[in-house]
Amino acid sequence: MSEQLQPRPHEEQPETTTDGQEATTTAAPVEEGAAPPSVEALQARIAELERENAELRDNWLRAVADYKNFKRRTDQERAELIRSASAALLLKLLPVMDDLERAMAGVTPEVAETPWYGGFKLIPQKLQTILESEGVTRMQTVGEPFDPNRHEAIIYEPSEDGEDGRVIAELQHGYLLRDRVLRPAMVKVSQGKKQSSDSETPHG
């Protein structure tokens, strides 16, 4: 009698497909003694990830804000540098304007009728146009109250009406660069009432 072979206890049994061929299946390895994580452990891990995400988001927002502040500060410094450079150049042009105006003020009537003087007059006019295009305007000083921020007092002189602290003459033009003083005006300022000759001479 032939002995019937029995399968060994730990051997995998081949599966037979519908067409009679054998197919083998491999079971997923399972670590012995490992238990699935508890709900508390999963919740703790989720909370930790949320904290990490919030920290990374805060750091990102802080970096974006720092960059915006840096860019704004850099743009302001660049604009201020350009304004300062422009003001320095314009300030150097003002003495040239003063010299041209003094030269024109000393022209005799005979010279004023010559053709070359007609062309010369265009130079200060063009320079004045350039200054105005850059925001430079001339101050109005005579008759204004003395302002140390806008005026530089060179002479104090008693006035006829006795008013004190008013500009009565302009010795050198002052200029504004938009709303800022580019060059203060040199002025003569009233100081009290002018004494009459009668009051100065004692009567016998």
Side-chain angles (χ1 to χ4, degrees), residues 113-172:
E113 296 297 329
T114 58
W116 74 266
Y117 182 71
F120 175 79
K121 289 192 302 183
L122 296 177
I123 298 175
Q125 292 175 5
K126 289 181 179 179
L127 182 56
Q128 182 67 34
T129 301
I130 292 173
L131 293 173
E132 290 177 354
S133 67
E134 295 297 323
V136 178
T137 56
R138 184 175 294 179
M139 295 181 189
Q140 300 296 327
T141 58
V142 177
E144 296 291 327
F146 175 73
D147 183 352
N149 296 315
R150 297 163 62 93
H151 308 140
E152 184 177 348
I154 303 300
I155 301 173
Y156 287 92
E157 185 176 280
S159 61
E160 296 289 345
D161 56 6
E163 189 172 8
D164 193 16
R166 187 168 294 275
V167 176
I168 56 178
E170 185 179 70
L171 308 178
Q172 186 182 71

Side-chain angles (χ1 to χ4, degrees), residues 176-196:
L176 297 172
L177 179 57
R178 297 177 180 88
D179 57 345
R180 299 167 61 185
V181 175
L182 181 61
R183 188 182 76 178
M186 293 183 181
V187 297
K188 182 189 294 186
V189 182
S190 63
Q191 188 179 40
K193 185 173 178 59
K194 184 177 181 180
Q195 294 182 352
S196 62

Side-chain angles (χ1 to χ4, degrees), residues 60-156:
W60 177 77
L61 291 175
R62 191 177 298 110
V64 170
D66 290 342
Y67 173 74
K68 289 182 178 179
N69 292 333
F70 170 76
K71 187 175 185 302
R72 181 169 57 252
R73 184 170 60 253
T74 303
D75 292 342
Q76 291 174 349
E77 291 176 353
R78 185 184 298 111
E80 184 62 29
L81 179 62
I82 293 172
R83 283 194 298 268
S84 299
S86 299
L89 177 59
L90 294 170
L91 191 58
K92 292 179 179 180
L93 293 177
L94 297 182
V96 179
M97 190 70 176
D98 295 336
D99 293 340
L100 290 172
E101 291 180 344
R102 278 192 290 266
M104 292 177 63
V107 170
T108 62
E110 294 78 11
V111 173
E113 296 297 329
T114 58
W116 74 266
Y117 182 71
F120 175 79
K121 289 192 302 183
L122 296 177
I123 298 175
Q125 292 175 5
K126 289 181 179 179
L127 182 56
Q128 182 67 34
T129 301
I130 292 173
L131 293 173
E132 290 177 354
S133 67
E134 295 297 323
V136 178
T137 56
R138 184 175 294 179
M139 295 181 189
Q140 300 296 327
T141 58
V142 177
E144 296 291 327
F146 175 73
D147 183 352
N149 296 315
R150 297 163 62 93
H151 308 140
E152 184 177 348
I154 303 300
I155 301 173
Y156 287 92

